[in-house]
Amino acid sequence: MAASWDGSYDPGSQSDDSHNFERLHIEPLYDAFVCPLTKQVMRDPVTLENGQTFEREAIEKWFKECRESGRKLVCPLTLKELKSTNLNPSIALRNTIEEWTTRNEAAQLDMARRSLNMNSSENDVLLSLKFIQHICQKSRSNKHVVRNAELIPMIVDMLKSSSRKVRCRALETLLVVVEEDEDNKAILAEGDTVRTIVKFLSHEQSKEREEAVSLLYELSKSEAVCEKIGSINGAILILVGMTSSKSENVLTVEKADKTLENLEKFENNVRQMAENGRLQPLLTQILEGTPETKQSMAAYLGELVLNNDVKVYVARTVGESLINLMKSGNMQSREVALKALNQISSYEASSKVLIEAGILPPLVKDLFTVGANQLPMRLKEVSATILSNVVNSGYDVDSIPIGPDHQTLVSEDNVHNLLHLISNTGPPIECKLLQVLVGLTSSPTTTLNVVAAIKSSGATISLVQFIEVPQQDLRMACIKLLQNLSPYMGQELADALRGTVGQLSSLIRVISENTGISEEQAAAAGLLAELPERDLGLTRQMLDEGAFQLIISRVVKIRQGETRGTRFVTPVLKGLVRVLARVTFVLSEEPDSVALCREYNLAALFIELLQANGLDNVQMVSATALENLSQESKNLTRLPELPPPGVCASIFPCFSKQVFITGLCRVHQGTCSLKESFCLLEGQAVHKLVALLDHTNAKVVEAALAALSTLLDDGVAIEQGVFVLCEAEAIKPILDVLLEKQTENLRRRAVWVVERLLRTEDIAYEVSGDQNVSTALVDAFHHADYRTRQIAERALKHVDKIPNFSGIFPDMS
């Protein structure tokens, strides 16, 4: 074939110059067919007055140049001046050239057809494809010729060639053949051709990708082919990937983007784009589409799994439109809108956007409306879920009016409505509505409104009953709500737990489950921790039910590291330690509590917990528990039995001998132990408590100081207690606490302890020279409460800062 055609043509060249093919002739070329100026076969020959024939475009250009340069109008061949520039069409010659061209092109096309097979050389195939491009670009009518010659399937076959050059040329040729030709596009779309083209999008060679995406872009201009492209698995995914690729050619990215824009004509394609991360077309349909389209797209949006950043973008773009759709009278539209809003609202930031778009009023109305236009229960569940999401977003919902008279969600009537719904619906809605109340009680400002509404409606008992339900999510929502309420209505909750059968046991069972540490356990421990610690009835019930044994086991396992790796370990430990400490508040009233503390050596456990660095609450509660235990030590220590005095000694005391008994506790003057009498001295707890006096948290310092003060209490050997504190190097830290005056409670406690220390002459003498201590005591004497001023006065007397005959205050001791 190359021998028949002009061998000077380079089939690998990308040049599109038509003269390359004008020189390839089957019939001989006559000189009369060639324009003297262009040296190419003429398409529109015209004759001058002197009989010379030229291509119209070429001679007109010649005349123009002559005029612009000021030269005479002359014939380009004879160079003789012309009287006229009239051009006479040479119709006969044009017809002859056209017939000659048609015959040549038909013959050349036939040669190309015979070369388009896998057995032909690469050179022949490339030349044939380039020729087909040439004749199609030369005339649109030739595209029909190519189609009628059934060349399109043959070109498609070349896509399977092992030669990359042939494959690229075939893609390039198909683009030329189908450009602006619907019939050729329809033929190309038959069979698996489009699928084959799509496969080229994932080829490693960028040139093949570029040609394939250009061809797909052209094909996508046809609606029929758009649907075909979208139906090919992975096509839209790859195109979307190309638009976001930073490694692709800019033109390739642009073509991929425009292809996707054309594919948007079909809803299925729009859905696929959304599924693969290109959401804007779907959102545009929701904003601008027909009511049916809006409904269809909203329904699909509700089915998509969106990442959090996308949820915010979607909420900002179509949040208001979806809310309007939710407010429509069409139940089907309301359903799809609710499901889409449910999906979007599951992220805090997007929930806040929806609140600002006005979602709260219609949402609450949907939940509370009863009658003809009410939502079915399955959709009320969705509404409750959305309300739970937006309320738990952290937005100040109390600032959003949702009813007449500037009512808000936490207005008493609305909270009553929520409580009524909770009592009269099924578990799924109950769970979501309880989560709404959890959100409303997460802020102190709104919690007070909710507490007032619960008390006025008498709903405490009905809320507590949810602790027993088998559904774990419903039970957890209930426990979290009660935990939030417990600081504000702890006694009411304690009464409810004591007065019902099973709730307290269920709560303990949740805490003791050995399935790891869960959020539910953290909430349950937090709830029990907030209940009044001196409620004897509740503590007795917990003792009767074996709750403390389970809690002790749980605390020990946590401290031993058997339950690590969850974010709820710390809140669970904090709660459990507080619950365990409540047993130390009833020691004098409940013998079983003393027995429990002895059996499980709780004093030792609390001493060990003093060293829970970083857990201020645990250290504070443990120190308080040790204070309670230590206060009982003077009642639990075993006093020695002294031998009766002899007859002479009873009559004449001077004959009696003082009996010395070794091994007694210096402070409690009896036989002590940590386990049996909870003695801090025997438990070597003093140094650990002294170390906490330097804590940055004032509440921890106060608790530690209170525990140490039990060694100076009435009923113990105060002087010995002072010596114990001296040996533990506690005097300076205690004085430092007095000087720092962090809180009023801490100052009150420090003044009391310092007064007891100053009863020892040596300490009083040494402190009397410290002006800072004197100033602190004087300040307390002037500004503290009545009782502390009395104690400060006595302390000042010990260091001779006030004379003993001062009678400013009566003796209240």
Side-chain angles (χ1 to χ4, degrees), residues 260-261 264 269-271 273-274 277-287 297 313:
L260 288 167
E261 287 177 13
E264 291 171 16
N269 293 345
V270 171
R271 289 191 179 99
M273 290 178 204
R278 188 181 174 95
L279 270 173
Q280 190 55 52
L282 182 141
L283 303 182
T284 302
Q285 296 274 30
I286 292 175
L287 291 170
M297 293 295 105
Y313 170 68

Side-chain angles (χ1 to χ4, degrees), residues 37 43 67 79 87 117 147 230 240 413 450 537 594 602 675 753 767 807:
L37 290 175
R43 291 188 176 86
R67 291 191 192 96
L79 298 180
L87 303 176
N117 60 73
R147 179 173 68 249
V240 169
D413 288 347
V450 177
V594 175
L602 285 192
K675 185 174 182 180
V753 174
V767 169

Side-chain angles (χ1 to χ4, degrees), residues 788-808:
T788 305
R789 286 158 62 190
Q790 282 187 306
I791 298 169
E793 180 188 9
R794 289 203 297 270
L796 288 167
K797 287 178 181 178
H798 294 321
V799 291
D800 296 330
K801 298 297 179 182
I802 292 181
N804 279 332
F805 53 79
S806 172
I808 295 174

